Amino acid sequence: MRPPKLPGPALPLLILVLLLPPPGSAGGPAPFDPTWESLDARQLPAWFDKAKFGIFIHWGVFSVPSFGSEWFWWYWQKEKIPAYVDFMKNNYPPDFTYEDFGPLFTAKFFDANQWADILQASGAKYVVLTSKHHEGFTLWGSEYSWNWNAVDVGPKRDIIKELAVAVRNRTDLRFGLYYSLFEWFHPLFLEDESSLFQKRQYPVSKMLPELYELVNKYQPEVLWADGDGGAPDTYWKSLDFLAWLYNESPVRDTVVTNDRWGAGSICKHGGYYTCSDRYNPGHLLPHKWENCMTIDKFSWGYRRNAGIADYLTIEELVKQLVQTVSCGGNLLMNIGPTQDGTISAIFKERLKQMGIWLKVNGEAIYETYAWRSQNDTVTPDVWYTSKPKDKLVYAMFLKWPISGQLFLAQPKATLGATKVKLLGHGQPLHWTPLKENGIKVDLPQLTIHQMPCQWGWALALTNVT
């Protein structure tokens, strides 16, 4: 069920040439050259920074064993980790292969409209689906993944098309796709790797044609690359592809990309930076970045063996969002559906809770900018954002003070001009200046049922510096 070993590179090269549009076909010279200097100078489409919050979905054949990690195949067959070896030994016949999981990836209950509604209710503004993880199984009928794709095996459906249509028809989210450049056990990649990447059979005959197909067919507005396999961008021909993506592709004006386009490019080159999984520096960065993280602390794919303590609480997730946005980042929060296409109750609940919180406090998140101070120096767990045009600063606090008074050291207020409101409450709050710097805010005396929300609150401060 693995893709057959293709003949020499002549035919795939011809295919690739045919896939490439003629240079400069949009008229005049192309604005971006295939160099990092040129590509890095591209301005990130404005929608991405405004969005702040997205949902990552890891779904694939790894969702069938749903044990340990989405790296199941690697841990079982390559690293031979005892827990994975024993799992297979105790639950499957001795001759069972990873490819045999393919037909069991049924997506029987997958309802793209239901997924779209769950995503919309979360308050997220974009979604990124794994079109292909390191296992190589594609969630669309890729012409370059023979008999190892969702149209030929398992669901017998074009998962990407169904979700793209539902998201675009039913929500205000932007649709994005994750794509793993390499595949653990693809024979052409392994052959290239053994040549220290002097050979380039795999990117020419598999990865590049697949990426062009993916972009032209589904027009993702986020293209989330991953898995460089230790190979440099010259092996992957990433720069040529990105120049086409920015100059000629159907999403050239709106697409955003990350920084995982070859060994050494992460946190250095590309659209926005991811730097590492679960990256949350806690301070302002000069370049736009994204914190991609998981609700399940230990896995991106669904795990049947996850315990309740393995999932982040809603308080922890709100804190991740607040911290990330205050420091200029976006939060990409991951869920892992089951092999039959259901989103488990705990993921649904977390997504719904995020949506409830954002309905009240979204004003302090969406379309905001980092302020001169990211967090307060006197009161812990207070994080700031701003909207300079509206002369607004938001102070998000994660613990309601027992005294009913919130001390903020950073804002410089002006008597008669500065106004303070609690989002979701609306009435002006009384404040007094502190001796040195900052203000003391008298919070409203509310019962738990009168609270505008749970898990964290936001003050809107008008006319502070």
Side-chain angles (χ1 to χ4, degrees), residues 163-440:
L163 188 59
V165 168
V167 165
R168 286 166 176 154
N169 286 347
R170 300 173 74 91
T171 78
D172 61 0
L173 280 78
R174 307 266 183 162
F175 183 75
L177 292 170
Y178 163 109
Y179 181 86
S180 173
L181 303 180
F182 90 129
E183 296 173 23
W184 287 316
F185 301 113
H186 196 291
L188 291 183
F189 177 77
L190 295 175
E191 196 176 319
D192 290 353
E193 185 181 39
S194 67
S195 77
L196 300 179
F197 303 114
Q198 294 307 301
K199 290 183 180 178
R200 292 193 175 96
Q201 300 171 90
Y202 173 79
V204 165
S205 61
K206 177 69 162 75
M207 163 261 184
L208 283 165
E210 212 159 61
L211 268 180
Y212 286 108
E213 179 186 41
L214 203 57
V215 172
N216 283 317
K217 199 167 185 178
Y218 304 105
Q219 303 187 13
E221 291 185 277
V222 180
L223 192 57
W224 216 100
D226 191 27
D228 59 44
D233 56 59
T234 50
Y235 168 77
W236 296 113
K237 294 189 179 293
S238 300
L239 301 179
D240 292 322
F241 171 75
L242 289 171
W244 170 81
L245 185 70
Y246 296 165
N247 290 328
E248 307 286 349
S249 81
V251 286
R252 60 188 175 271
D253 295 327
T254 57
V255 71
V256 295
T257 61
N258 64 347
D259 55 351
R260 302 187 183 195
W261 293 97
S265 74
I266 194 165
C267 218
K268 188 176 178 185
H269 295 298
Y272 61 87
Y273 293 168
T274 62
C275 298
S276 65
D277 292 350
R278 303 178 179 87
Y279 181 69
N280 188 4
H283 60 82
L284 186 63
L285 295 185
H287 193 94
K288 183 63 189 180
W289 61 282
E290 181 184 68
N291 173 6
C292 61
M293 47 71 71
T294 56
I295 297 176
D296 177 347
K297 299 172 193 174
F298 304 108
S299 177
W300 297 83
Y302 176 72
R303 288 191 306 142
R304 287 180 288 168
N305 58 322
I308 190 69
D310 294 341
Y311 296 100
L312 292 176
T313 64
I314 183 58
E315 290 86 355
E316 289 170 319
L317 292 171
V318 167
K319 184 173 182 176
Q320 286 273 331
L321 177 65
V322 166
Q323 279 186 324
T324 299
V325 174
S326 293
C327 296
N330 279 19
L331 186 73
L332 186 61
M333 191 174 83
N334 179 75
I335 61 169
T338 66
Q339 57 86 18
D340 56 16
T342 58
I343 296 172
S344 62
I346 195 156
F347 288 136
K348 278 184 188 172
E349 182 187 51
R350 294 292 184 271
L351 295 181
K352 185 178 179 182
Q353 288 171 324
M354 289 295 279
I356 289 168
W357 190 85
L358 281 163
K359 267 193 174 169
V360 174
N361 301 290
E363 181 188 327
I365 298 291
Y366 306 124
E367 301 190 26
T368 59
Y369 296 88
W371 193 42
R372 60 173 175 79
S373 295
Q374 279 59 68
N375 59 304
D376 201 73
T377 51
V378 167
T379 305
D381 281 329
V382 174
W383 297 83
Y384 294 103
T385 57
S386 71
K387 287 182 179 172
K389 283 184 182 176
D390 300 325
K391 297 182 178 179
L392 278 167
V393 170
Y394 298 95
M396 291 172 280
F397 57 107
L398 303 177
K399 292 174 184 170
W400 191 278
I402 295 171
S403 67
Q405 296 178 325
L406 186 65
F407 292 82
L408 302 176
Q410 297 306 313
K412 295 175 183 174
T414 306
L415 288 168
T418 298
K419 291 183 173 57
V420 180
K421 287 186 178 180
L422 176 69
L423 294 189
H425 179 254
Q427 298 302 314
L429 303 183
H430 179 261
W431 64 270
T432 51
L434 298 176
K435 281 184 181 178
E436 298 294 326
N437 277 315
I439 58 174
K440 179 186 75 176

Side-chain angles (χ1 to χ4, degrees), residues 41-53:
R42 177 181 183 254
Q43 193 170 355
L44 204 66
W47 74 262
F48 184 75
D49 183 55
K50 292 177 180 178
K52 306 300 183 190
F53 179 43

